[in-house]
Amino acid sequence: MTETTSYRAVGLQTTCRAIASCRTTEEARTRIGENIERVARQIPSTIAWTGPDTRLIVLPEYLLTGFPTRETADEWISRACLSEGCSEYEELGAVAEKNAIFLAGNAYEFDAHFPGIFFQTSFVIDPSGDVVLRYRRLNSMYSPTPHDVWDAYLDRYGLDGVFPVAKTEIGRLAAVASEEILYPELTRCLTMRGAEVIVHSTCEVGSPRSTPKGIARRARAIENLVYVLSANTAGMEGLDLPGASADGGSCVIDYKGKVLAEAGYGESCVAYADLDLDALRRFRRRPGMENLLSRQRFEAYAASYAEHSHYPANTMAAGFSGRKHFTDTQAAVIEKLAKKGVI
């Protein structure tokens, strides 16, 4: 593996065409294939725009399917979910291989080791077409996560499977999904394992004003001395939600929190910039006040985390009962915290 320490990266802002309006499983799977084909056409044109040294392209959250609304878990698994080695991953792998890029994205997955539930998964595919990183979202309002089956998930994949970092020829890559950029502990755990570039597939409100996720992206970059490459949707089709509710703001942020490039609204490939890993590594190894990563005192915080539990683990150990599970669990957590005087 010959390492490339300077290259161009793109947050590809493209439209999500959801499967919610599809009447049958066959129609839904056809829509997924069409979404992959559309990306396959856009990527070569994007590289022609951004330059032949483009090595990393990040796709938005929900790009292939949209998100579940009224479907049961079994319906969503059959209509929307990918699985390891499936034809959709093979097709995405062919796109990465044909264009000699690392391709990052986000999809819903079914894992046969956890029947009856699904996970939202951020992935990275390398230029040979292989999935080299698979991260299952830990914080979600309405979808199952590894934390909901925590003990069994740890038994199967271990803690490094929960917080995966891929050592690649373009640096050490890790993924954060959507609103998880608001949870500083997640990016910290990835950085503890060596992450240098955070790929962030998202579907979020675009606004000319500062947004919580926009602020959080810069904060995570500064705190952890990482590049953050974020791809938002260019609106959503096939849902009753107003289409432009999640549009704009795909960006590249450097390890000092500087926004290097940012897209406006609509489909766009202009959120691209050069990533310089040599500069990042020199900065991380330089003593001084700015080197926050080397100044972390984790022992001071460890006991507080160990002594407190807010959202409980293993709430789906006996199975997934539907979306109401999440609101009921959150309500119980809020009541508990109020009784304890935390809130």
Side-chain angles (χ1 to χ4, degrees):
M1 180 177 69
T2 302
E3 189 174 35
T4 301
T5 57
S6 179
Y7 59 90
R8 189 152 284 184
V10 186
L12 183 56
Q13 188 167 287
T14 188
T15 304
C16 167
R17 294 177 177 168
I19 65 171
S21 61
C22 296
R23 296 181 178 180
T24 65
T25 295
E26 182 179 6
E27 187 179 350
R29 306 307 296 199
T30 298
R31 176 74 54 83
I32 293 171
E34 291 169 349
N35 290 336
I36 294 173
E37 290 173 6
R38 185 165 53 88
V39 166
R41 295 192 301 271
Q42 289 181 334
I43 284 177
S45 297
T46 293
I47 294 172
W49 179 286
T50 59
D53 59 341
T54 299
R55 299 298 314 281
L56 173 61
I57 292 181
V58 180
L59 304 175
E61 182 188 24
Y62 300 141
L63 179 65
L64 300 183
T65 61
F67 50 82
T69 52
R70 294 177 293 273
E71 298 88 354
T72 66
D74 287 341
E75 288 171 340
W76 191 249
I77 288 168
S78 66
R79 290 164 64 89
C81 288
L82 278 57
S83 58
E84 189 171 351
C86 68
S87 60
E88 289 88 356
Y89 274 128
E90 290 179 356
E91 292 165 10
L92 289 166
V95 174
E97 187 173 9
K98 181 178 179 180
N99 294 281
I101 59 168
F102 286 80
L103 182 62
N106 183 276
Y108 287 95
E109 277 191 345
F110 170 69
D111 185 331
H113 297 103
F114 298 92
I117 65 174
F118 54 86
F119 298 112
Q120 190 181 353
T121 301
S122 293
F123 59 83
V124 176
I125 301 172
D126 73 6
S128 68
D130 296 328
V131 177
V132 295
L133 183 132
R134 175 174 276 110
Y135 162 73
R136 265 75 180 264
R137 179 172 172 172
L138 280 173
N139 302 277
S140 179
M141 186 65 205
Y142 293 116
S143 292
T145 80
H147 188 249
D148 297 314
V149 286
W150 188 238
D151 291 343
Y153 201 90
L154 286 178
D155 287 345
R156 181 71 196 174
Y157 294 110
L159 203 56
D160 285 340
V162 175
F163 301 110
V165 176
K167 187 176 182 180
T168 75
E169 64 196 68
I170 61 168
R172 295 189 293 273
L173 309 180
V176 171
S178 190
E179 68 163 355
E180 290 193 304
I181 203 71
L182 299 172
Y183 293 80
E185 295 87 353
L186 172 57
T187 308
R188 179 72 79 209
C189 286
L190 296 170
T191 308
M192 287 176 179
R193 289 164 172 79
E196 298 172 313
V197 179
I198 302 295
V199 297
H200 179 230
S201 298
T202 188
C203 179
E204 63 185 67
V205 172
S207 174
R209 302 178 69 89
S210 295
T211 65
K213 292 181 188 178
I215 294 168
R217 275 188 285 272
R218 298 184 69 180
R220 300 297 86 82
I222 294 167
E223 293 164 352
N224 297 287
L225 308 183
V226 292
Y227 283 102
V228 175
L229 180 55
S230 183
N232 193 20
T233 51
M236 305 185 75
E237 298 177 359
L239 297 167
D240 293 333
L241 185 74
S245 298
D247 187 358
S250 300
C251 61
V252 184
I253 301 171
D254 78 1
Y255 51 90
K256 295 182 182 180
K258 179 181 178 180
V259 178
L260 302 178
E262 186 169 8
Y265 299 109
E267 294 205 315
S268 176
C269 64
V270 303
Y272 69 90
D274 294 327
L275 275 55
D276 186 345
L277 297 183
D278 286 333
L280 178 150
R281 291 166 184 171
R282 286 196 303 271
F283 195 86
R284 284 180 163 191
R285 294 166 185 168
R286 180 187 298 124
M289 291 184 65
E290 293 179 302
N291 192 340
L292 301 179
L293 195 57
S294 65
R295 299 175 62 206
Q296 292 300 322
R297 302 171 185 259
F298 296 135
E299 294 82 0
Y301 319 126
S304 293
Y305 277 104
E307 292 171 1
H308 291 81
S309 174
H310 287 195
Y311 198 99
N314 295 310
T315 62
M316 295 184 193
F320 177 30
S321 58
R323 286 168 65 92
K324 191 172 183 293
H325 167 91
F326 300 102
T327 53
D328 288 348
T329 303
Q330 187 182 33
V333 172
I334 291 170
E335 182 180 2
K336 177 183 70 175
L337 297 180
K339 288 180 178 178
K340 293 175 63 176
V342 175
I343 60 175

